[in-house]
Amino acid sequence: MPTADRTRFGVTPDGEVVERVTLRNAGGMQVDVITLGASLQGVQVPDREGRLGHVLLGHDTLEPYLRQPHFMGACVGRYANRIGGAAFTLDGRRFRITANEGSNALHGGVRGLDKVVWRIESADPHQVVLRHVSPDGDQGFPGELTITATYRLAPEADQLDLILEAVTDAPTVVSLAPHGYFNLAGADGGRDVMDHHLTLAASAYTPVDEGLIPTGEIRPVDDTPFDFRTARRIGDRVRDAHDAQIRIGRGYDHNFVRDEGRTDTPTFAARVTDPASGRAMELLTTEPGLQFYSGNFLTGELIGRNGVAYGQGQGLCLEPQNFPDAPNQPGFPSARLDPGQRYRHHTIWRFSVIP
């Protein structure tokens, strides 16, 4: 039978209790969510032999989440990805965000949503709902933003839904995204993701400058290492230094432009398969962009489950989002949210096995 367990995961240096909610479905899939950053702390699904295993990088204790800079499993924001110069203009007023990557803001600034303890609104065998109120001026963003994150595990199928919603009391910009690092070979087995095969429903991507800020161009993927319209092994061109964008990102760290754009309901965005374990994962989303990050800045200093050092390429991120730096890029989809409107982001992960 599907179950939900709620336990104490740890305590922050400020004395805030961090809880963990564990969801299990009838097929054995297990999902762990912690209230720090509304983060996915664990995802376990079977391989082709029916053996359950972790497919999400993570830690068994709270302390590594508090000190690591990799946003592991978190819901990031108030603006996911990068804002160039840590500033933007809205209705003629200039807003400055706390810079945490050189002169730029990454994933919401110095103390983004990944750094705060969310409150559990409800938890039952099928889902957990978390809530956080980000005050006006938080990290420089205008407006009080009230956010909910709903993780829903299907009772029978190996499917996890995440619904992110937000309302504001003043005009602002919003883009929220999950930042899980997946490794379908087994996140605690020591293998990297270079043998995974990836498909992306994207015919274009947004090139970046040396600071990883989009240039404003929307570039076709044709005849480039960024063409994943048919399944391709990730390791084939991740180190192709002939491509300037690969050199800048030290691999893949780019926003892909979904062919369907923003949608009302989740549609296909990506598929990842691991031939060795037989695990497959499909990602569906409502968001117009998808950041593919090949774990380039994991350096081995971070120790995860089973004593595995998380080195370069140990996990991959597929982050559904609005385009990075959209508040400064008039040609990108709008990230504006006004009072009376509701921001809604819906992403689905579907797991299966291949022969």
Side-chain angles (χ1 to χ4, degrees):
M1 292 289 293
T3 62
D5 297 324
R6 184 170 172 176
T7 57
R8 177 169 161 151
F9 189 64
V11 181
T12 72
D14 295 332
E16 291 185 277
V17 174
V18 176
E19 294 186 86
R20 175 168 62 186
V21 175
T22 299
L23 306 176
R24 300 181 186 89
N25 68 12
M29 181 177 173
Q30 178 172 314
V31 172
D32 298 289
V33 177
I34 59 173
T35 54
L36 179 69
S39 302
L40 269 179
Q41 186 252 339
V43 175
Q44 296 183 61
V45 295
D47 63 10
R48 68 162 59 91
E49 306 300 328
R51 294 172 298 212
L52 205 64
H54 284 283
V55 295
L56 186 82
L57 273 58
H59 307 282
D60 290 321
T61 61
L62 176 62
E63 194 273 336
Y65 288 99
L66 296 172
R67 63 178 170 81
Q68 55 95 358
H70 298 288
F71 309 94
M72 195 155 288
C75 287
V76 295
R78 295 172 46 162
Y79 200 91
N81 215 306
R82 296 171 174 89
I83 293 181
F88 62 92
T89 300
L90 188 66
D91 294 336
R93 182 180 170 190
R94 193 72 170 162
F95 294 93
R96 297 199 173 276
I97 311 306
T98 57
N100 60 333
E101 189 182 62
S103 61
N104 303 318
L106 173 64
H107 295 323
V110 172
R111 192 171 188 268
L113 299 179
D114 62 293
K115 304 284 195 306
V116 300
V117 178
W118 296 47
R119 180 172 63 84
I120 296 175
E121 277 204 332
S122 64
D124 62 42
H126 302 293
Q127 70 177 29
V128 56
V129 181
L130 304 102
R131 183 176 186 268
H132 176 67
V133 178
S134 174
D136 178 34
D138 188 7
Q139 306 306 299
F141 289 96
E144 180 182 272
L145 193 71
T146 300
I147 314 154
T148 59
T150 301
Y151 287 97
R152 183 178 300 147
L153 181 61
E156 304 290 339
D158 288 342
Q159 174 175 312
L160 178 65
D161 289 52
L162 171 62
I163 300 170
L164 295 166
E165 297 182 289
V167 294
T168 182
D169 66 357
T172 191
V173 296
V174 181
S175 177
L176 310 177
H179 200 284
Y181 290 75
F182 287 93
N183 185 327
L184 300 185
D188 55 1
R191 289 181 49 208
D192 64 27
V193 298
M194 293 300 107
D195 286 331
H196 285 32
H197 289 74
L198 175 65
T199 307
L200 298 176
S203 301
Y205 74 105
T206 51
V208 294
D209 63 18
E210 294 289 340
L212 298 175
I213 303 299
T215 63
E217 179 187 0
I218 295 177
R219 183 180 296 177
V221 300
D222 304 77
D223 301 319
T224 75
F226 295 85
D227 191 352
F228 288 94
R229 289 173 294 182
T230 57
R232 172 185 286 176
R233 181 179 171 274
I234 290 172
D236 283 351
R237 300 188 70 180
V238 71
R239 302 289 175 248
D240 187 351
H242 295 94
D243 189 286
Q245 288 294 307
I246 292 290
R247 294 199 304 272
I248 290 172
R250 303 185 193 178
Y252 298 104
D253 193 5
H254 295 77
N255 171 62
F256 284 75
V257 179
R258 288 219 305 139
D259 290 339
E260 293 195 56
R262 180 179 279 124
T263 53
D264 292 333
T265 57
T267 58
F268 176 78
R271 177 177 170 85
V272 186
T273 60
D274 173 47
S277 69
R279 293 188 182 99
M281 180 181 79
E282 279 193 348
L283 186 147
L284 298 83
T285 189
T286 54
E287 299 311 285
L290 185 71
Q291 185 85 3
F292 169 38
Y293 170 52
S294 51
N296 317 322
F297 296 98
L298 295 174
T299 61
E301 87 285 359
L302 199 62
I303 307 301
R305 294 188 189 89
N306 204 31
V308 173
Y310 290 155
Q312 192 174 55
Q314 195 72 35
L316 63 89
C317 296
L318 296 168
E319 305 159 53
Q321 57 179 15
N322 199 351
F323 294 7
D325 202 37
N328 294 314
Q329 303 279 359
F332 287 1
S334 174
R336 182 183 181 116
L337 183 69
D338 286 312
Q341 297 178 328
R342 179 175 292 272
Y343 169 92
R344 192 173 193 273
H345 165 155
H346 187 175
T347 288
I348 299 172
W349 297 272
R350 288 178 180 162
F351 296 91
S352 60
V353 292
I354 58 176

